[in-house]
Amino acid sequence: MSKHNVKVYPRFERLWHWMQVVLITALALTGFGMNGVHGLLPFKAAVMLHTIAALVLIALWIFATFWLFTTGTWRQFIPRIEGMFAVARFYAFGVFKGEEYPYEKKYWRKHNPLQAATYFVIKWAVFPAVWITGIAYLTYNFWEAMPASGFWLPIVANLHLIAAYVVVTFVIAHVYMLTIGDGFLHHVKPMVTGFDEVELTPEQEAYLEQNEPWRLKDGTAH
């Protein structure tokens, strides 16, 4: 196997990523404002912006889910045990001792085992919890007359808040991880250009040269 600069992040995936960054930031800021953490926005304005950002993000996720399954990209997010402990140990201890990063990014596996497991939980458990509780909270007027609605409303609100804090914690950890190794800009650049250094087998290299030459950056193989 040899390393090449390959376009592993297509245009839609990059657009999806950066739209999420903007929308999740807006949701966090307005959500904190609604809970009294800051007073940068009037309460009604915070609620309106929070609702708009949430609906846009839900629409984006519906489209992204369709894209993940139609392109087969969903396989990148399937977690596996092999190598997970080594990566977790590196982030917990090895990085502070100057140890070598234990995972080589591959064309068919661009996320390390720990990343894949984390993204899997976030995308298929935490985000749905945010959406379900958020929609339930937003539509409270429709189920207010139901028995014990007053009991369930604070539970829904607190579950929504807990799930939101999990997302914020993930974002903070994600940004921190980008500072490890070759530096922040080195890790962010692939999500801007689409190109990243990955390992290819001779068969994969030949296939890309023949069928998808636009994925290979000229003169970068080594």
Side-chain angles (χ1 to χ4, degrees):
M1 298 180 70
S2 58
K3 291 184 179 179
H4 298 260
N5 273 338
V6 182
K7 196 163 194 177
V8 294
Y9 299 105
R11 185 176 300 169
F12 174 74
E13 190 168 4
R14 286 176 282 145
L15 177 64
W16 168 30
H17 175 271
W18 292 115
M19 285 184 68
Q20 280 190 135
V21 170
V22 173
L23 292 169
I24 289 175
T25 300
L27 286 166
L29 288 175
T30 54
F32 285 139
M34 290 158 57
N35 282 276
V37 177
H38 63 77
L40 298 176
L41 288 170
F43 182 80
K44 288 185 177 180
V47 171
M48 181 184 69
L49 291 174
H50 192 83
T51 303
I52 293 172
L55 293 176
V56 173
L57 190 54
I58 290 173
L60 176 65
W61 251 99
I62 292 172
F63 192 79
T65 301
F66 174 79
W67 177 82
L68 283 170
F69 283 98
T70 55
T71 62
T73 309
W74 62 272
R75 296 184 181 89
Q76 296 279 357
F77 299 97
I78 299 299
R80 59 176 183 173
I81 301 299
E82 182 185 355
M84 187 180 297
F85 177 77
V87 175
R89 183 193 174 281
F90 171 79
Y91 284 129
F93 304 105
V95 65
F96 302 109
K97 298 179 179 180
E99 295 180 5
E100 187 176 347
Y101 185 60
Y103 182 76
E104 285 289 348
K105 189 175 291 188
K106 299 175 177 60
Y107 176 62
W108 66 91
R109 197 77 184 181
K110 56 192 176 188
H111 302 305
N112 69 51
L114 189 61
Q115 281 179 312
T118 303
Y119 291 152
F120 184 87
V121 172
I122 290 292
K123 292 177 185 297
W124 306 114
V126 179
F127 276 174
V130 173
W131 308 145
I132 292 170
T133 55
I135 292 172
Y137 193 65
L138 183 64
T139 59
Y140 175 65
N141 290 339
F142 292 98
W143 55 277
E144 183 180 7
M146 293 177 60
S149 62
F151 170 79
W152 286 107
L153 180 62
I155 294 177
V156 168
N158 286 318
L159 287 175
H160 183 73
L161 191 60
I162 291 170
Y165 274 119
V166 172
V167 173
V168 171
T169 302
F170 163 75
V171 171
I172 294 172
H174 184 61
V175 173
Y176 166 71
M177 294 296 184
L178 293 176
T179 66
I180 295 175
D182 296 322
F184 184 82
L185 293 178
H186 174 83
H187 293 304
V188 172
K189 185 179 178 181
M191 197 51 73
V192 176
T193 65
F195 287 93
D196 201 0
E197 192 176 75
V198 298
E199 288 190 341
L200 293 178
T201 63
E203 293 78 13
Q204 289 171 335
E205 183 181 354
Y207 172 84
L208 292 177
E209 287 178 345
Q210 179 67 33
N211 298 283
E212 301 178 33
W214 53 272
R215 283 192 181 272
L216 294 171
K217 215 170 193 177
D218 293 338
T220 58
H222 64 277

